[in-house]
Amino acid sequence: MSNTIKEVAKLAGVSVSTVSRVINNSGYVGEKTRKKIVDAMDTLSFEPSSIARGLVSGKTSTIGLLLPDVSNPFFAEVARGTEEAAIESGFTVILCNSNWDLERERMYLNVLKGRAVEGVIVIGNRSAERDLIGAVSPLPCVFVDRKVSSDQSYIWIDHEKGASIATEKLLSIGCEHIAHVTGPRKSTSARSRLSGYLKTMKQSGMEPSVVPGNFRFAGGYEAAKALFLKDNPPDGIFAANDMMAIGIIQAANELGVSIPNDVSIVGYDDIDMAKCTSPALTTIRQPANEMGRAAFSLFKNRVSEMKIEFDARLVERKSTK
Amino acid sequence: MSNTIKEVAKLAGVSVSTVSRVINNSGYVGEKTRKKIVDAMDTLSFEPSSIARGLVSGKTSTIGLLLPDVSNPFFAEVARGTEEAAIESGFTVILCNSNWDLERERMYLNVLKGRAVEGVIVIGNRSAERDLIGAVSPLPCVFVDRKVSSDQSYIWIDHEKGASIATEKLLSIGCEHIAHVTGPRKSTSARSRLSGYLKTMKQSGMEPSVVPGNFRFAGGYEAAKALFLKDNPPDGIFAANDMMAIGIIQAANELGVSIPNDVSIVGYDDIDMAKCTSPALTTIRQPANEMGRAAFSLFKNRVSEMKIEFDARLVERKSTK
DNA sequence: TTGTAAGCGTTATCAT
DNA sequence: ATGATAACGCTTACAA
């Protein structure tokens, strides 16, 4: 049962401030007194109230982590990285799933502020930049997977470049009809990938073909079914993330479309599962765990205006010729 | 900018107690006054400090959710359900990934207590029951996916029965050599599934064949490779969860083992992806989201000694004859 | 070396 | 219908 500092003080026959000193290891405390207090704390199994402490110090050792959907393995992995780094620094993280919903994003941001988090890490959000910054201000905010123009910090990876690499790979192996299955419209990273695809296609004078997706397995699956049933099916597909790419592979297998003979597939993320699909998925690797850890360290070190950029790179496996 | 109730009071030209009344919708407040105050709160975009509230009321409206691994879709979905229900009740949840690590479980439990959560929901943990209860005591604790003998509450689903149903299905279609790929040894649900499998096999006089797994895609994949390369490969496999079943399907596809002709596969969980594998996965359905919601409601209504049991049921798809 | 007392932002109990 | 004011459990000058 959690007792108060007062009861400890009484039992030890000292004042609360002395007890506070031994709790925080600050100021001078006589050896005998310290021992008496420690004993008292033990017998009462005293645990200081982090609420009261938070009220006084304004510090809660808590950060908020806002992301669209933990079920997405990429986000889950970033969250893991952040959480691991946080715990190592004595912080705890409050996890919020916005579900790609603008309203919920705003709501959560308020909840977090009310909870007096010391900072917010936002991953793959949809809100307009100024809305977001306005909403969390004056808390430090680190953006992951999104470049922001102001003096905020962010962890970034060049999706446009990654998408170009993916598209170029498909081009380089001779694909002549390359389709792109997108992520949710409001996801900035999805948009960047789309734009990288579009640019690269334009540069090489190819006709783009875009199918809307949603970053989920089922989305890729549906998109692929539609694509393969067309008169002029693609011979290359760049999916905006691995989950959809895996859905595409399943659809292809079901329809008897052979990978990579009939169609080559490139995904994005390099989630665990990508190694093990059949055929194994060629994809653009994002170091998710590291990105999460980096986000926390940016927050922790109170660096503002710091931009860490990671490199997306191609991981070639068997789903491309 | 997070303002205080004082500043709102000043701006509205009233006392803090009146502001407190409109915040909490308690006591009488004149219509005009209320409007002034609401306006003031808006212009300052005031958000009450839940810390200060917590200090006064002793309530933090926060619960801890301890689970082994958010990357596991089943856990992710339970977490989603819990979080949704929590938010609807004005609670926020602190999410902790134990990574199936006993040490981390204990550590997190302490962190949560220090953070003054009002209760803890524990999913699929490994710790011994009394350790766990001792560690969170005196906080209310709801166990998900685990039956506990004491007066604690739990949400449960009969894994042994589910596993029996799965095994029986395989038996009923004439499989003669049925293997089981297990979950992590220390997972109680994995153990129950194993025991259901073992029992059913024994009842029907069949020789069991158990391969260790880990609930992850790669685990199923590896196990299947080993299994299919044996002299006497199985004609039926019951995987302790869907992620592994999907890994098994991939391995089968790669090795040219035909499903369900050469081998029938049954999974466990019925995650989203199960519908879309190729062939679609026959599996035991667990209502993950509902289980998460139920867990929160058990906590919320402060019911102790309440046991909610869900039913596992077979969802037949194409991976079984 | 130790104690006293003033907050931290709320809520709740009295008055008014 | 509204306002003072005393808690809540702790930290932290400032005194002693």
Side-chain angles (χ1 to χ4, degrees):
Chain A
M1 191 62 70
S2 218
N3 302 277
T4 75
I5 199 176
K6 257 183 202 157
E7 323 190 49
V8 176
K10 197 161 87 183
L11 181 58
V14 298
S15 75
V16 292
S17 33
T18 310
V19 178
S20 177
R21 280 184 203 105
V22 352
I23 293 173
N24 299 288
N25 247 304
S26 63
Y28 300 94
V29 181
E31 255 327 304
K32 277 182 198 155
T33 326
R34 152 167 279 117
K35 184 166 175 2
K36 269 193 304 188
I37 293 175
V38 170
D39 285 351
M41 295 201 302
D42 279 355
T43 56
L44 296 177
S45 69
F46 166 79
E47 191 71 33
S49 151
S50 61
I51 310 205
R53 289 180 127 169
L55 222 211
V56 176
S57 65
K59 309 241 162 276
T60 52
S61 295
T62 303
I63 59 166
L65 179 57
L66 180 61
L67 45 71
D69 180 9
V70 254
S71 321
N72 179 310
F74 173 71
F75 295 136
E77 195 54 38
V78 177
R80 242 333 230 284
T82 304
E83 200 204 6
E84 287 170 1
I87 285 295
E88 287 163 15
S89 296
F91 272 72
T92 96
V93 1
I94 297 184
L95 203 262
C96 308
N97 276 288
S98 74
N99 247 63
W100 300 103
D101 182 313
L102 231 59
E103 203 42 62
R104 272 180 79 168
E105 258 179 34
R106 196 183 356 258
M107 185 265 275
Y108 268 122
L109 255 12
N110 275 334
V111 168
L112 290 173
K113 272 168 79 173
R115 287 281 177 283
V117 298
E118 291 187 36
V120 177
I121 294 178
V122 178
I123 312 181
N125 61 91
R126 290 180 41 176
S127 301
E129 180 184 337
R130 63 168 160 278
D131 288 352
L132 215 41
I133 295 177
V136 308
S137 164
L139 295 178
C141 180
V142 177
F143 293 83
V144 177
D145 208 22
R146 171 155 185 183
K147 215 164 184 168
V148 285
S149 52
S150 68
D151 62 345
Q152 306 288 315
S153 293
Y154 62 77
I155 304 294
W156 193 61
I157 188 159
D158 193 337
H159 298 291
E160 208 175 295
K161 190 164 142 203
S164 287
I165 295 173
T167 312
E168 271 156 15
K169 169 68 189 168
L170 256 11
L171 250 14
S172 79
I173 57 178
C175 294
E176 299 190 325
H177 180 6
I178 302 174
H180 174 54
V181 182
T182 70
R185 244 183 328 237
K186 294 284 182 99
S187 151
T188 48
S189 60
R191 283 204 303 266
S192 307
R193 291 173 201 172
L194 171 59
S195 114
Y197 161 78
L198 254 21
K199 252 183 211 167
T200 308
M201 292 296 276
K202 192 165 191 181
Q203 269 168 19
S204 53
M206 309 278 290
E207 195 62 34
S209 153
V210 173
V211 186
N214 58 2
F215 275 169
R216 314 201 70 164
F217 183 92
Y221 181 82
E222 299 301 338
K225 287 238 159 160
L227 238 22
F228 292 141
L229 262 27
K230 292 203 321 188
D231 287 345
N232 181 18
D235 57 359
I237 304 181
F238 164 42
N241 81 345
D242 283 353
M243 287 305 285
M244 293 196 299
I246 294 174
I248 293 169
I249 291 179
Q250 298 296 357
N253 286 344
E254 275 183 34
L255 295 174
V257 176
S258 158
I259 304 172
N261 295 327
D262 301 335
V263 59
S264 289
I265 313 285
V266 178
Y268 209 107
D269 282 349
D270 195 25
I271 63 179
D272 255 17
M273 217 181 299
K275 303 180 193 41
C276 307
T277 53
S278 156
L281 183 64
T282 294
T283 188
I284 303 294
R285 170 161 175 73
Q286 304 203 86
N289 194 288
E290 292 85 332
M291 290 171 72
R293 302 188 84 97
F296 181 78
S297 96
L298 240 43
F299 153 75
K300 181 68 188 315
N301 301 313
R302 293 292 188 280
V303 259
S304 60
E305 293 195 66
M306 163 83 108
K307 294 94 177 60
I308 298 188
E309 308 204 357
F310 284 83
D311 266 329
R313 61 167 230 272
L314 182 70
V315 178
E316 290 200 55
R317 288 197 269 252
K318 305 295 187 186
S319 65
T320 44
K321 263 200 287 263
Chain B
M1 186 71 67
S2 216
N3 303 277
T4 74
I5 200 176
K6 259 183 200 158
E7 322 189 50
V8 176
K10 198 161 86 185
L11 181 58
V14 298
S15 74
V16 292
S17 13
T18 310
V19 177
S20 178
R21 279 185 203 103
V22 352
I23 294 173
N24 299 288
N25 246 305
S26 64
Y28 300 93
V29 180
E31 254 328 302
K32 278 183 199 154
T33 325
R34 154 166 279 117
K35 185 167 176 357
K36 269 193 304 189
I37 293 174
V38 170
D39 286 350
M41 295 201 302
D42 280 355
T43 54
L44 295 177
S45 68
F46 166 80
E47 191 69 34
S49 152
S50 59
I51 306 209
R53 286 179 133 170
L55 222 212
V56 178
S57 64
K59 310 239 160 278
T60 53
S61 295
T62 303
I63 59 167
L65 179 56
L66 180 61
L67 44 70
D69 179 9
V70 254
S71 322
N72 178 311
F74 173 71
F75 295 136
E77 195 54 40
V78 177
R80 255 304 247 290
T82 304
E83 200 204 6
E84 287 169 2
I87 286 294
E88 287 163 16
S89 296
F91 273 72
T92 95
V93 0
I94 296 183
L95 203 263
C96 308
N97 275 288
S98 74
N99 247 63
W100 298 104
D101 182 313
L102 233 59
E103 203 42 62
R104 273 180 77 167
E105 259 179 32
R106 196 186 356 261
M107 185 263 277
Y108 269 123
L109 256 11
N110 275 334
V111 169
L112 290 173
K113 271 169 79 172
R115 289 283 177 281
V117 298
E118 291 187 37
V120 176
I121 293 178
V122 178
I123 312 182
N125 60 92
R126 291 179 41 176
S127 300
E129 180 184 337
R130 63 169 159 278
D131 288 351
L132 216 40
I133 295 177
V136 309
S137 166
L139 295 179
C141 180
V142 177
F143 294 82
V144 177
D145 208 23
R146 172 153 185 183
K147 216 165 183 168
V148 285
S149 51
S150 68
D151 61 346
Q152 307 287 314
S153 293
Y154 62 77
I155 303 294
W156 193 61
I157 187 157
D158 193 337
H159 299 289
E160 207 175 295
K161 190 164 141 202
S164 287
I165 294 173
T167 312
E168 272 157 14
K169 168 68 189 170
L170 256 10
L171 250 15
S172 78
I173 57 178
C175 293
E176 299 190 326
H177 181 6
I178 303 174
H180 174 53
V181 182
T182 70
R185 244 183 329 239
K186 293 286 182 96
S187 150
T188 49
S189 59
R191 283 205 302 267
S192 306
R193 291 172 202 173
L194 171 59
S195 114
Y197 160 79
L198 254 20
K199 253 184 210 165
T200 309
M201 292 296 276
K202 190 164 191 180
Q203 269 168 19
S204 53
M206 309 278 290
E207 195 62 34
S209 155
V210 174
V211 187
N214 57 4
F215 274 170
R216 315 201 67 165
F217 184 92
Y221 181 83
E222 298 302 336
K225 287 238 159 159
L227 237 23
F228 292 140
L229 263 25
K230 293 204 321 189
D231 288 345
N232 182 18
D235 56 359
I237 303 181
F238 164 41
N241 79 346
D242 282 354
M243 287 305 285
M244 293 196 300
I246 295 173
I248 293 169
I249 291 178
Q250 299 295 359
N253 287 344
E254 276 183 34
L255 294 174
V257 175
S258 156
I259 303 173
N261 295 328
D262 301 334
V263 60
S264 289
I265 313 285
V266 179
Y268 209 108
D269 283 349
D270 194 26
I271 63 179
D272 256 17
M273 217 181 298
K275 304 180 193 42
C276 307
T277 52
S278 154
L281 183 63
T282 294
T283 188
I284 303 294
R285 170 161 174 71
Q286 303 203 87
N289 193 288
E290 292 85 331
M291 290 171 73
R293 303 188 84 98
F296 181 78
S297 97
L298 239 44
F299 154 75
K300 181 70 189 314
N301 301 314
R302 293 293 188 280
V303 259
S304 60
E305 291 198 67
M306 163 82 108
K307 295 96 176 57
I308 299 188
E309 309 205 355
F310 283 84
D311 266 330
R313 60 165 230 273
L314 182 70
V315 178
E316 290 200 54
R317 288 196 270 253
K318 303 296 186 186
S319 66
T320 44
K321 264 199 288 262

